[in-house]
Amino acid sequence: MPTGSQRGHDLNQSPIRGLVPYARLAREKGKDIYHLNIGQPDIPTPESALEKVRNESDKIIKYGPSEGLPALRSRVRDYYDKYQAELDTEDVLVTTGASEAILFALFATCNAGDEIIIPEPFYANYIGFAQVCSISIIPVTTLLEEEFALPEPATFQKHITPRTKAIFLCNPGNPTGQLYDKKQLEQLAEIVLQNDLFLIVDEVYREFCYNKKFTSVLSIESLSQQVIVIDSISKLFSSCGARIGFLITKHHAIRQAVIKYAQLRLCPPYFGQILALACYEDSEAYISAARAEYMKRRAVLYQGLQRIDGIQSYKPDAAFYNIAELPVPDTMEFCKWMLTDFSLDNKTIMLAPASGFYSNQTLGKKQVRIAYVLNQEELQDALHILHQGLLAYPHSTLKL
Ligand SMILES: Cc1ncc(COP(=O)(O)O)c(C=O)c1O
């Protein structure tokens, strides 16, 4: 039997992948599982956009332009006006989700062996994308005790080597819910300019900022030739399955390289683009309502976690995640146990062990990422189950 490639074998897997068989077994045993482990929003996709897709009457679903439908690119350009981004329609390229935009950004900026600096913990798939592009992630570790605040610019400077090509940020952050402000971005901008680097910023959670103002790096004029922004409708319009994202840059040569990669996959999904086009029409009311709902859930989660002794957490600024340190030695084992050995009224919870969000997986061993993508009542119930699970878990230091 022929063997597969080493690179396929070595590719990093999602941190929750290892828990999936246990979740399946739990379901087979009839347990209901509250999924706090994935960022799959439960808020309905805009109905008017779904209606547009249902009413599509084309007789042939043809290939479209590799860069995306002109009408969609132009609408997204207009959307960015509210973030003081001086964009032209050609600066916006439509991709198959933010995932493809990340991959294209890395392929277009880095050679094999290059390095990108990323504050950790970070979105776990960045590891796999870096592996596919044969580049190294140089982590700058941020700490729960400091609510995952962005380290001083000097810390980034220390990590720069002749192979450094970019600083990569997720703002607002998954898995931390941390938001970097204008001043911090401007400080990083100086480092990026001084060292002639790219600044790649994944802004897919931009619209979910609760108390503080969001600044897009696209508004920092001095950086216009260094910045690449990653965007998506997956979370923004609860449209994860539509597979529509965007890569936005004013750097002409990077755009040309990205378009060549885009031509290899021919075009982004047609129906997804029709949906996206309709989503951006009169989007403000929808976005505000979603933001208000996540904000209420954030309060439920924060208060619920505060009530459980032994849990260390904080109130995230943005996105719909936060990290909590649990009173257990190893959250991977605890999360497994919650699926295999614990239930309350035949219900249990699934959490994401946080070690997978660090490049050094010995970090975050006591932490979990919690996604608040359940309604408030379910979230309350899930927190109650977490509390009771911690009390019952044999290796927990939390006792009745
Ligand atoms: C920070 C971040 N970037 C990118 C993605 C991928 O988004 P998409 O569904 O648009 O590929 C996710 C998905 O969870 C994410 O959390």
Side-chain angles (χ1 to χ4, degrees):
M1 189 168 63
T3 52
S5 71
Q6 193 59 38
R7 60 185 171 189
H9 177 266
D10 292 346
L11 195 61
N12 204 63
Q13 275 204 321
S14 129
I16 53 157
R17 188 62 55 195
L19 292 176
V20 170
Y22 301 102
R24 196 181 315 119
L25 276 176
R27 264 192 302 274
E28 279 167 15
K29 284 187 186 158
K31 279 191 213 176
D32 284 332
I33 303 173
Y34 285 128
H35 285 276
L36 298 164
N37 56 306
I38 44 167
Q40 168 60 65
D42 64 331
I43 290 175
T45 308
E47 180 52 34
S48 54
L50 290 172
E51 204 50 33
K52 280 266 164 52
V53 174
R54 287 185 201 113
N55 291 339
E56 258 307 289
S57 58
D58 282 3
K59 297 279 180 283
I60 304 173
I61 305 304
K62 296 182 187 143
Y63 290 125
S66 302
E67 301 90 323
L69 296 176
L72 177 58
R73 297 173 70 195
S74 153
R75 191 158 293 168
V76 171
R77 194 221 71 82
D78 293 348
Y79 157 86
Y80 275 94
D81 281 348
K82 70 172 170 172
Y83 290 107
Q84 289 80 50
E86 298 267 318
L87 295 178
D88 297 311
T89 301
E90 63 177 12
D91 302 333
V92 179
L93 302 173
V94 185
T95 56
T96 309
S99 306
E100 190 181 68
I102 296 166
L103 206 52
F104 287 174
L106 297 180
F107 273 131
T109 52
C110 297
N111 290 310
D114 282 345
E115 297 170 357
I116 53 171
I117 300 175
I118 314 187
E120 73 173 351
F122 50 69
Y123 174 51
N125 281 0
Y126 295 158
I127 301 178
F129 293 135
Q131 284 174 330
V132 168
C133 298
S134 304
I135 62 180
S136 302
I137 291 181
I138 309 299
V140 173
T141 305
T142 64
L143 303 172
L144 189 144
E145 303 80 85
E146 295 170 5
E147 302 189 2
F148 300 107
L150 193 70
E152 290 299 311
T155 312
F156 284 88
Q157 185 67 56
K158 261 200 310 219
H159 287 77
I160 294 173
T161 74
R163 301 273 3 205
T164 308
K165 226 34 210 288
I167 294 178
F168 192 122
L169 302 178
C170 185
N171 189 37
N174 171 11
T176 61
Q178 168 66 247
L179 179 68
Y180 306 138
D181 64 22
K182 187 162 189 236
K183 188 166 164 232
Q184 289 171 312
L185 293 173
E186 283 172 348
Q187 286 173 338
L188 268 190
E190 275 177 36
I191 303 256
V192 162
L193 285 165
Q194 277 161 15
N195 295 278
D196 206 20
L197 304 177
F198 288 101
L199 181 59
I200 306 174
V201 187
D202 182 340
E203 295 186 355
V204 304
Y205 296 98
R206 160 193 321 113
E207 293 288 356
F208 306 123
C209 296
Y210 305 116
N211 303 110
K212 299 185 187 161
K213 192 170 174 285
F214 173 78
T215 300
S216 172
V217 277
L218 289 169
S219 67
I220 304 178
E221 255 176 63
S222 59
L223 277 189
S224 73
Q225 290 305 310
Q226 340 263 135
V227 154
I228 301 173
V229 159
I230 308 295
D231 203 354
S232 165
I233 68 162
S234 289
K235 318 290 165 156
L236 178 56
F237 296 118
S238 267
S239 299
C240 298
R243 307 310 305 132
I244 295 298
F246 306 97
L247 184 150
I248 298 146
T249 184
K250 293 197 83 67
H251 191 302
H252 177 77
I254 291 294
R255 269 199 325 265
Q256 293 315 303
V258 168
I259 290 170
K260 284 193 267 175
Y261 286 114
Q263 285 166 347
L264 294 176
R265 59 81 166 113
L266 307 178
C267 68
Y270 176 71
F271 284 112
Q273 291 185 89
I274 296 300
L275 183 99
L277 195 51
C279 282
Y280 280 99
E281 207 171 288
D282 290 330
S283 58
E284 276 314 306
Y286 177 89
I287 294 172
S288 307
R291 185 188 303 120
E293 175 59 24
Y294 287 127
M295 193 165 167
K296 286 188 206 145
R297 294 172 183 192
R298 179 183 71 143
V300 170
L301 180 66
Y302 176 67
Q303 283 153 14
L305 291 176
Q306 292 287 100
R307 278 198 286 270
I308 305 175
D309 282 342
I311 290 191
Q312 198 187 338
S313 197
Y314 55 94
K315 201 171 194 175
D317 293 324
F320 38 68
Y321 306 100
N322 96 332
I323 294 215
E325 186 158 309
L326 305 185
V328 301
D330 181 347
T331 51
M332 181 57 88
E333 291 306 315
F334 172 70
C335 292
K336 222 183 269 177
W337 181 87
M338 285 298 282
L339 294 166
T340 53
D341 287 57
F342 187 79
S343 68
L344 200 66
D345 301 331
N346 222 20
K347 290 179 283 191
T348 191
I349 58 170
M350 189 166 172
L351 299 161
S355 52
F357 300 104
Y358 290 84
S359 64
N360 173 351
Q361 300 200 347
T362 60
L363 296 173
K365 221 174 158 198
K366 291 179 161 195
Q367 299 171 1
V368 284
R369 185 195 68 176
I370 305 176
Y372 40 104
V373 288
L374 303 178
N375 67 46
Q376 294 168 61
E377 202 180 314
E378 288 176 331
L379 202 51
Q380 298 268 22
D381 199 24
L383 284 162
H384 179 58
I385 293 170
L386 170 64
H387 193 181
Q388 296 307 309
L390 283 170
L391 287 170
Y393 186 52
H395 307 290
S396 164
T397 55
L398 183 66
K399 292 289 164 265
L400 274 174

